[in-house]
Amino acid sequence: MNKNRLQPMHAILLLTMMLMVGGCRETRQQEVRAEQADSVIFQAGSVKQYKRMMELTDSFEVAGSISALDANRWRGVAYYRQGQYGMAEMCYRKALESKVVTKQDQLNYNKVARRLSEILLVRHDFEGSLRIAIPAVKKMEATGIGSDMDFAILLNNIGCCQLNLGRDADAQESFLTAREHYANRWKTDSTSRGFQEAVLGTVYTSQAYINTKRYAESIYWIDRTEMLLNMYRTKPDARKEYFDEYQGRIEIMRAVALEGLKKTDEAAQAYSAFLKTNYSKTAPGQINATDYLMVAGRYKEATLNYRHLSQALSEWGMVPTLDNIQLYMLPKYRANVEAGRRDSAQVVGRYILSELDEAISKQVNSTTAELATIYDTQGKDAEIARQQVDMAKQRLLSTGIALVLLITFFLIYTLNKRKAAHKLAAAHRSLEEAHANLEDAHGKLQSAYDELEKTTKAKERIESELRIARDIQMSMVPNIFPDAEGIDLYAAMLPAKEVGGDLYGYLLQGKELYFCVGDVSGKGVPASLFMAQATRLFRTLAAQHMKPAEIANQMNAALTENNEQGMFITMFIGFIDLSTGHMDYCNAGHNPPIIGMEPTFLDVEPNAPIGIWEGMEYEGESLDNIMDIPIFVYSDGLNEAENAQQEQLGDERVLEFLRSHPFTSCKQTVEMLKEEVEKHRAGAERNDDLTMLSLRVTSSSPGRR
């Protein structure tokens, strides 16, 4: 074959490989855009801005940042949190009908299946729940894409359905397999999320056994629920408001089960334990207690509890629907009848009759409104589809232009090669022509060398500019720390790229010490510019003697303005009165600091990151005295540092490291953790910016007598 014909083929192969690499890069960019979009939508939901959540979802779907599956998942979440379960179910079903293309699609599919099967389970549509949950589990098993939590929750839902359908052996197998997945989650996750989900799952399991009057089996799961709750209590990031409520619910379930087993005295003891909880004094707690009082025949006590029914329904966000009348009003009527309170029973009966008409009317209106919303949603889907078609046409046009240019290039390339071949043939016919061609080739070679030198210089210039940018950025954070008696402060910042988005800072003014650590979304040059703005704002506002929460408010107002890129920053801002040791602080979506000579996580109000929501009001907190108490603040580049196997260092390892290395100085703390991170990475590239700040104020600090 002619050698000159091989060269274009090599060029085609090279360009094909370049296009494939470009495609991979585009896929990764799409994944990043989807992650960023999900983060923004999640933040809207976290502050209960559900209308905004819907608007963002529509916009991101039109732009192609998220898939139709992900978009319908977020719509379902928004409706679910507003108590519009019918609309939530519709969106979840649409999500499950969407095409699963990427790994992220499969993960979102799993989340949707979990929630939808739970909705149907609570509604007692057991067969419907199984039709969702079982195929989801099989799909996860086939693809290998699914977390232990996905498996655990779906299998638990399947078990509850099987139990209610009389398939006891299948249910037991499902529950035990779910338990194994819960255990796997605890071993690999340093947060409390796995324990919280496990507590809720075993509550469902326990209640399923009680509802089917399998009281002996329910005792096992009730005891397991209590064991998991006690394990949950030990986690630093556990939500403490759950402890008392779930302990109360456990005691009520135990009382019902023991009463069902004719163990009346033990059931009464469990009920007495329930009465010792704060949950027993709330309206929802007193209504849940009627489960035991009714089966125990303690009808007079039940009637007293039912006086709080309206308040409980209000706290649960429930209105008098047909379902709620059946679940709550009819038992209240029965309790009054059994207690011999005929007049009260007649009052409840008349109330039920009056509410039935209104409930039926509301049911009709709700169905009508839901249908209207469905039609509106379908219209919205059509509009989204139209816009996506327009965007697809534009992308197709761009692709067509690119192909035309590519074909033109190959035509020119081929023609030039043919001309070169003719010139080479002519060179063989004449020595002089060969010499001329040789000189021409030498000139081209020199030109290539000149171009290479120009490219090298440009690359060196860019690298030099990035080094200058890094030097400028590093100069914006203090590298000289207070040399004052009683103040020990040290910090370090290590960008993942030449420049990064982390920051730290402090400002010492007489008896006042301000400090902060922040983490901008993203990395590289855009994050560094946002970081520069945040650093300047912090120092300016701290110099005006503002409290940390007010600093966060003012920074948020400045950074949300014209923030078209949707960037944001998590921050921990602290202020210490050196004369008293009093500390005010505000945590804006940042990792909770670690404090104390026996290190533990500081209990913080998470708030939202700065730069997302205009008009956000940040909540500040305080500690009376932090004298002689070390404080360690860090960005997630520490706990999320990954090795080559993508295993994270984790919060628990950081905490355990600090506990096993007694505090001696702030610098030693930071430097030791830097070494520990590098040891964990074991040569892997840094996956995120890393910033650490350690601080301790002692009783000999300036101004303290």
Side-chain angles (χ1 to χ4, degrees):
M1 184 178 290
N2 192 310
K3 185 176 181 181
N4 290 331
R5 293 179 61 188
L6 281 173
Q7 291 178 353
M9 293 177 65
H10 292 164
I12 293 172
L13 179 60
L14 178 61
L15 281 174
T16 302
M17 292 174 65
M18 291 171 64
L19 287 171
M20 290 175 64
V21 171
C24 294
R25 186 178 295 113
E26 176 62 29
T27 300
R28 177 55 189 155
Q29 290 174 348
Q30 173 63 25
E31 291 174 353
V32 171
R33 287 197 296 270
E35 291 171 3
Q36 292 173 341
D38 283 343
S39 177
V40 173
I41 297 171
F42 174 80
Q43 290 296 335
S46 67
V47 291
K48 300 182 179 180
Q49 294 185 354
Y50 300 119
K51 182 179 179 182
R52 175 65 174 161
M53 196 176 176
M54 292 284 204
E55 292 170 350
L56 288 168
T57 299
D58 292 346
S59 298
F60 286 133
E61 185 182 14
V62 169
S65 298
I66 58 176
S67 66
L69 193 157
D70 200 16
N72 280 307
R73 176 177 76 89
W74 282 119
R75 293 185 187 109
V77 170
Y79 282 124
Y80 182 86
R81 292 181 180 176
Q82 296 176 83
Q84 300 181 39
Y85 302 120
M87 287 303 301
E89 179 183 346
M90 184 196 76
C91 292
Y92 286 142
R93 289 189 184 279
K94 288 179 68 176
L96 295 184
E97 292 168 1
S98 301
K99 190 175 182 181
V100 176
V101 178
T102 65
K103 178 180 178 180
Q104 190 60 40
D105 285 341
Q106 180 63 52
L107 293 173
N108 288 329
Y109 177 97
N110 300 343
K111 294 176 184 178
V112 171
R114 282 164 47 177
R115 181 64 74 187
L116 181 55
S117 66
E118 181 184 303
I119 290 174
L120 298 174
L121 169 62
V122 172
R123 193 193 296 165
H124 288 187
D125 182 1
F126 305 122
E127 293 183 0
S129 181
L130 288 175
R131 282 195 292 269
I132 298 298
I134 291 176
V137 170
K138 289 182 178 179
K139 185 172 289 190
M140 287 194 295
E141 290 173 343
T143 62
I145 301 174
S147 67
D148 281 304
M149 195 53 60
D150 292 333
F151 276 107
I153 293 175
L154 283 167
L155 286 166
N156 204 76
N157 291 347
I158 290 171
C160 289
C161 293
Q162 290 168 332
L163 194 64
N164 280 279
L165 293 172
R167 294 159 55 184
D168 295 14
D170 292 338
Q172 185 177 11
E173 182 179 351
S174 297
F175 289 141
L176 292 176
T177 309
R179 185 177 68 179
E180 293 174 3
H181 284 289
Y182 279 127
N184 288 339
R185 171 66 181 266
W186 308 330
K187 296 173 184 176
T188 57
D189 186 6
S190 60
T191 70
S192 66
R193 182 68 176 172
F195 287 101
Q196 183 182 337
E197 293 282 2
V199 169
L200 184 59
T202 49
V203 165
Y204 280 147
T205 305
S206 304
Q207 198 63 56
Y209 276 106
I210 289 173
N211 292 343
T212 55
K213 301 187 186 305
R214 294 163 171 82
Y215 300 118
E217 293 95 330
S218 71
I219 293 293
Y220 166 81
W221 290 101
I222 293 168
D223 289 341
R224 181 165 181 79
T225 305
E226 185 169 36
M227 179 197 74
L228 292 171
L229 180 62
N230 290 333
M231 295 171 72
Y232 181 45
R233 293 178 197 270
T234 64
K235 307 300 288 185
D237 61 332
R239 301 180 65 176
K240 296 181 176 59
E241 63 270 22
Y242 284 162
F243 297 166
D244 183 78
E245 176 186 346
Y246 276 98
Q247 188 64 53
R249 293 174 68 176
I250 287 168
E251 299 300 347
I252 283 297
M253 290 191 299
R254 182 177 283 115
V256 172
L258 290 170
E259 188 67 33
L261 293 171
K262 308 300 181 185
K263 297 181 179 181
T264 304
D265 293 340
E266 294 179 46
Q269 290 175 5
Y271 184 66
S272 296
F274 161 77
L275 294 176
K276 294 177 182 178
T277 65
N278 293 326
Y279 179 62
S280 70
K281 301 174 180 62
T282 67
Q286 290 178 327
I287 297 306
N288 282 342
T290 59
D291 289 349
Y292 163 70
L293 295 174
M294 292 295 286
V295 298
R298 297 165 65 166
Y299 300 115
K300 289 185 179 180
E301 294 175 70
T303 60
L304 295 175
N305 281 22
Y306 273 123
R307 292 182 301 178
H308 303 279
L309 179 57
S310 297
Q311 181 183 347
L313 292 177
S314 176
E315 290 186 25
W316 288 330
M318 296 181 178
V319 294
T321 63
L322 295 175
D323 287 340
N324 292 337
I325 288 173
Q326 179 183 5
L327 287 172
Y328 300 106
M329 298 307 302
L330 290 179
K332 180 177 180 178
Y333 173 79
R334 179 177 167 235
N336 280 280
V337 170
E338 296 291 348
R341 298 186 174 186
R342 307 296 179 185
D343 293 340
S344 297
Q346 289 179 8
V347 170
V348 176
R350 286 195 294 271
Y351 176 81
I352 291 174
L353 290 174
S354 66
E355 288 295 329
L356 274 175
D357 286 338
E358 184 177 353
I360 293 171
S361 176
K362 286 181 179 178
Q363 188 84 3
V364 172
N365 292 337
S366 175
T367 302
T368 303
E370 192 169 295
L371 285 172
T373 307
I374 290 172
Y375 289 131
D376 180 64
T377 302
Q378 290 172 340
K380 186 188 296 180
D381 288 345
E383 177 64 18
I384 289 172
R386 185 189 65 75
Q387 294 180 25
Q388 287 179 328
V389 167
D390 291 341
M391 295 179 70
K393 287 179 180 178
Q394 293 176 6
R395 286 195 292 268
L396 184 60
L397 179 61
S398 300
T399 303
I401 292 172
L403 286 173
V404 169
L405 291 174
L406 186 62
I407 293 169
T408 303
F409 165 78
F410 278 118
L411 287 173
I412 294 172
Y413 180 85
T414 303
L415 289 173
N416 285 337
K417 291 301 296 181
R418 287 180 179 177
K419 288 179 181 179
H422 289 308
K423 287 180 181 179
L424 186 61
H428 283 291
R429 293 191 299 268
S430 172
L431 181 61
E432 290 180 358
E433 291 179 3
H435 181 69
N437 286 338
L438 183 61
E439 288 182 349
D440 182 59
H442 181 270
K444 290 181 179 180
L445 181 61
Q446 184 61 48
S447 176
Y449 276 122
D450 292 342
E451 187 65 27
L452 177 61
E453 185 177 358
K454 187 186 300 183
T455 302
T456 302
K457 288 181 178 179
K459 182 175 180 293
E460 290 175 349
R461 185 177 66 253
I462 292 171
E463 291 176 348
S464 175
E465 290 173 355
L466 283 173
R467 283 195 297 270
I468 293 171
R470 177 189 175 94
D471 292 341
I472 292 172
Q473 184 183 26
M474 295 304 292
S475 70
M476 297 183 70
V477 297
N479 53 20
I480 299 176
F481 302 102
D483 185 16
E485 186 179 359
I487 301 177
D488 184 7
L489 190 154
Y490 187 79
M493 184 173 76
L494 303 171
K497 297 184 176 181
E498 287 82 358
V499 289
D502 276 10
L503 66 90
Y504 70 86
Y506 77 88
L507 185 64
L508 179 60
Q509 303 178 108
K511 301 177 183 179
E512 298 180 346
L513 174 63
Y514 287 86
F515 64 96
C516 73
V517 171
D519 183 0
V520 177
S521 59
K523 294 183 283 293
V525 174
S528 70
L529 296 175
F530 203 79
M531 168 267 189
Q533 286 183 282
T535 302
R536 175 183 57 81
L537 286 168
F538 166 73
R539 292 189 62 83
T540 300
L541 297 171
Q544 298 176 32
H545 308 282
M546 293 184 179
K547 291 293 182 68
E550 182 58 25
I551 292 176
N553 287 333
Q554 295 296 327
M555 289 184 67
N556 186 65
L559 294 176
T560 52
E561 186 176 354
N562 299 323
N563 185 9
E564 296 179 359
Q565 300 300 318
M567 300 190 73
F568 58 86
I569 180 172
T570 67
M571 284 191 80
F572 181 87
I573 306 171
F575 161 74
I576 300 175
D577 184 339
L578 299 175
S579 62
T580 63
H582 181 86
M583 182 174 80
D584 291 306
Y585 61 93
C586 178
N587 187 67
H590 201 74
N591 297 323
I594 298 173
I595 67 169
M597 298 300 287
E598 296 182 2
T600 184
F601 288 101
L602 177 64
D603 189 14
V604 296
E605 180 70 30
N607 291 308
I610 294 170
I612 293 184
W613 307 121
E614 186 177 357
M616 180 75 183
E617 290 293 328
Y618 287 84
E619 183 175 341
E621 299 170 271
S622 65
L623 291 175
D624 290 337
N625 191 348
I626 54 91
M627 286 293 179
D628 302 312
I629 299 175
I631 305 171
F632 179 69
V633 194
Y634 58 95
S635 68
D636 58 13
L638 175 63
N639 57 316
E640 294 182 3
E642 294 180 349
N643 58 20
Q645 291 74 41
Q646 295 186 321
E647 296 171 341
Q648 294 187 351
L649 183 61
D651 289 326
E652 287 303 318
R653 281 202 219 170
V654 174
L655 190 62
E656 182 58 33
F657 181 86
L658 291 174
R659 286 174 175 172
S660 61
H661 293 75
F663 179 88
T664 56
S665 73
C666 291
K667 182 174 182 179
Q668 183 186 34
T669 297
V670 172
E671 294 298 333
M672 284 194 307
L673 274 167
K674 283 168 63 175
E675 293 178 6
E676 182 66 13
V677 169
E678 294 307 316
K679 179 181 175 182
H680 173 71
R681 284 203 183 96
E685 290 186 9
R686 189 175 289 116
N687 59 298
D688 198 359
D689 304 330
L690 168 59
T691 298
M692 296 178 285
L693 181 147
S694 183
L695 167 65
R696 182 173 70 161
V697 176
T698 61
S699 55
S700 58
S701 59
R704 185 160 178 90
R705 300 172 182 266

